[in-house]
């Protein structure tokens, strides 16, 4: 395996076995092939550029960089080189649905490497460069929608780790979401929710301090005030065309946003309540109780509370639902009756 010819991967012919050995004991594996960590990283990058190496093998190499970046990449210069090389690889791959098999993992690898960095060296420049690169991807409507969705998720992770870093991009992201007709619009929506939530809820103070110390200016002026109400209204309009999973995540974020915003009232959700009541999907019906638990009579009337209980009773005997779902609904009803029909119970 020490013979690193130009025609085979650093992992050798039986690359999956080598991949497994590295994951079990990376130090022993590097000793066996007589390579330093830095040299191994550079050889991995070379393999990623080789056309004859199988895409599955390349994905495993990217996975090694994701999982073991803190072990393999200890020098800031190597980090900059690896991130830059992966960014360039993404660009030279071109476009097309078949390219998503490699382009999406590349974006995830860049994000994992940057967010896993634990050294005291300042990585503000690589972070900002990668932010600009990811934004370029999601603004490109000709890119594959899976790749765009991945880039949105990675930006979401960056925003969570560095609250406020995407504040100035909200309007452009909304504009990109409006232009997109593929399922990727749901990923844009989740990203927007995360940004707005961070604008309102000043959490993760420790990470915010790190961000300020590393000269990543998250308090920059957006040029024009962002109207939270219009953004929330836009996201609520998109909910009916989302999948149940995406709708649940977006609405959970919107509940947090409305709860912590002085600009918004609980009645923001009023027009959306009937859809939740009439749904037979557990996540959406659960959101009805979540809204009631959060806002109570500020959002629900007594009649709406009774209607919700009646709907749960109907669903608990619905012939098309599974037994587990029926038991769940019956358990909700039991809890409601025990609390004299006051829906202030919590969910596990």
């Amino acid at each position: 395996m020490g013979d690193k010819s130009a025609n085979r991967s650093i992992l050798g012919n039986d690359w999956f076995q080598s991949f497994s050995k590295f994951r079990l004991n990376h130090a022993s594996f590097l000793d066996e092939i007589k390579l330093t960590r830095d040299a191994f990283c550079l050889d991995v990058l070379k393999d990623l550029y080789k056309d004859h190496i199988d895409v599955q093998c390349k994905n495993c190499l990217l996975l090694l960089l994701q999982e073991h970046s803190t072990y393999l990449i200890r020098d800031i210069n190597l980090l900059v080189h690896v991130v830059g090389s992966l960014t360039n690889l993404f660009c030279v791959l071109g476009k097309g649905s078949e390219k998503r098999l490699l382009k999406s993992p590349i974006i995830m690898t860049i994000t994992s490497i940057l967010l896993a960095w634990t050294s005291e060296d300042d990585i503000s420049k690589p972070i900002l460069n990668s932010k600009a690169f990811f934004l370029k991807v999601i603004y490109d409507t000709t890119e594959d929608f899976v790749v765009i969705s991945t880039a949105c998720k990675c930006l979401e992770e960056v925003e969570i780790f560095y609250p406020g870093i995407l504040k100035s991009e909200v309007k452009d992201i909304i504009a990109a979401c409006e232009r997109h007709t593929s399922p990727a619009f749901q990923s844009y929506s989740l990203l927007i929710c995360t940004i707005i939530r961070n604008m309102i809820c000043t959490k993760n103070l420790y990470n915010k301090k790190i961000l300020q110390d590393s000269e990543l200016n998250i308090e920059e002026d957006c040029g024009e005030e962002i109207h939270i109400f219009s953004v929330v209204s836009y996201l609520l309009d998109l909910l009916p065309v989302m999948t149940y999973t995406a709708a649940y995540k977006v609405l959970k974020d919107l509940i947090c946003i409305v709860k912590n915003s002085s600009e918004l009232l609980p009645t923001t959700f009023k027009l959306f309540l009937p859809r939740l009541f009439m749904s037979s999907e557990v996540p959406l019906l659960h959101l009805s109780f979540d809204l009631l638990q959060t806002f109570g009579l500020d959002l629900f009337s007594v009649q709406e509370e009774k209607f919700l209980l009646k709907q749960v009773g109907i669903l608990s005997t619905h012939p098309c639902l599974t037994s587990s779902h029926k038991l769940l609904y019956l358990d909700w009803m039991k809890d409601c009756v025990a609390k004299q029909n006051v829906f202030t119970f919590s969910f596990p």
Side-chain angles (χ1 to χ4, degrees):
M1 192 174 294
D3 178 23
K4 301 181 289 298
S5 66
N7 293 321
R8 71 174 183 178
S9 166
I10 184 65
L11 296 180
N13 294 325
D14 192 355
W15 57 265
F16 188 76
Q17 182 179 3
S18 299
F19 167 75
S20 301
K21 287 174 64 177
F22 184 96
R23 298 181 80 185
L24 288 173
N25 192 329
H26 37 68
S28 174
F29 179 84
L30 292 181
D31 288 340
E32 182 181 337
I33 63 174
K34 297 180 174 59
L35 281 179
T36 64
R37 287 179 264 199
D38 292 2
F40 180 78
C41 277
L42 296 176
D43 281 346
V44 166
L45 293 176
K46 291 178 184 177
D47 283 354
L48 292 173
Y49 277 85
K50 294 177 181 177
D51 293 333
H52 66 275
I53 293 180
D54 188 76
V55 172
Q56 290 180 324
C57 178
K58 291 182 178 180
N59 279 326
C60 286
L61 290 171
L62 289 169
L63 186 58
L64 291 182
L65 290 179
Q66 291 179 41
E67 292 182 339
H68 303 283
S69 63
T70 54
Y71 172 77
L72 293 171
I73 304 174
R74 299 171 298 166
D75 178 70
I76 183 65
N77 294 321
L78 180 60
L79 179 140
V80 172
H81 178 74
V82 171
V83 170
S85 181
L86 291 174
T87 302
N88 182 68
L89 176 60
F90 180 97
C91 296
V92 301
L93 282 174
K95 297 178 181 178
S97 58
E98 74 281 358
K99 302 296 184 180
R100 72 175 69 161
L101 297 176
L102 197 56
K103 294 179 81 172
S104 289
I106 287 174
I107 296 175
M108 291 187 288
T109 302
I110 293 173
T111 307
S112 298
I113 290 173
L114 291 173
L115 298 187
W117 182 254
T118 57
S119 173
E120 294 182 357
D121 292 310
D122 182 17
I123 61 167
S124 58
K125 186 174 181 180
I127 287 285
L128 291 175
N129 288 342
S130 296
K131 166 196 163 184
F133 166 59
F134 294 158
L135 288 171
K136 182 179 178 181
V137 173
I138 70 171
Y139 293 156
D140 184 359
T141 55
T142 63
E143 184 60 84
D144 182 80
F145 76 90
V146 174
V147 177
I148 290 177
S149 297
T150 304
C152 284
K153 182 59 182 176
C154 289
L155 281 170
E156 192 178 334
E157 294 296 325
V158 172
E159 171 66 25
I160 291 172
F161 204 81
Y162 297 117
I165 194 172
L166 294 171
K167 179 180 177 181
S168 61
E169 301 291 336
V170 172
K171 293 183 179 179
D172 289 336
I173 295 173
I174 292 175
C177 182
E178 291 174 339
R179 293 193 302 267
H180 234 280
T181 56
S182 75
F185 82 91
Q186 299 171 113
S187 300
Y188 286 107
S189 301
L190 289 167
L191 174 58
I192 294 167
C193 280
T194 301
I195 299 171
I196 298 299
R197 188 181 69 237
N198 281 343
M199 288 171 58
I200 296 173
C201 306
T202 54
K203 297 180 180 179
N204 299 320
L205 296 179
Y206 177 72
N207 282 338
K208 185 175 181 180
K209 182 178 183 302
I210 293 177
L211 189 62
Q212 292 169 338
D213 290 345
S214 62
E215 299 180 356
L216 286 174
N217 184 13
I218 65 173
E219 299 296 337
E220 57 183 301
D221 185 13
C222 293
E224 187 177 347
E225 183 183 358
I226 298 171
H227 297 286
I228 304 298
F229 178 77
S230 61
V231 176
V232 171
S233 298
Y234 171 71
L235 293 172
L236 284 172
D237 289 340
L238 292 179
L239 286 176
V241 292
M242 291 184 180
T243 63
Y244 292 126
T245 302
Y248 181 84
K249 291 179 179 178
V250 169
L251 197 50
K252 285 286 286 185
D253 278 344
L254 291 180
I255 291 172
C256 178
I257 289 170
V258 173
K259 179 182 177 181
N260 292 283
S261 173
S262 59
E263 300 179 35
L264 302 170
L265 296 174
T267 50
T268 303
F269 299 106
K270 198 69 173 180
L271 294 177
F272 195 71
L273 284 181
R275 180 169 183 257
L276 296 180
F277 290 167
M278 301 306 296
S279 175
S280 60
E281 293 294 324
V282 174
L284 295 186
L285 193 60
H286 177 273
L287 284 171
S288 301
F289 293 99
D290 201 355
L291 284 166
L292 187 54
Q293 183 179 355
T294 303
F295 302 114
L297 295 178
D298 291 335
L299 175 59
F300 283 75
S301 65
V302 175
Q303 290 76 15
E304 286 170 334
E305 289 187 71
K306 291 180 178 179
F307 182 82
L308 180 56
L309 180 59
K310 179 182 178 181
Q311 184 68 5
V312 174
I314 294 173
L315 289 174
S316 66
T317 58
H318 198 291
C320 294
L321 292 180
T322 64
S323 298
S324 57
H325 285 165
K326 293 177 182 179
L327 288 172
L328 176 63
Y329 292 139
L330 287 171
D331 190 57
W332 288 358
M333 289 183 64
K334 176 184 175 182
D335 201 74
C336 293
V337 172
K339 294 179 182 290
Q340 298 179 339
N341 293 343
V342 177
F343 296 80
T344 56
F345 53 95
S346 59
F347 296 92

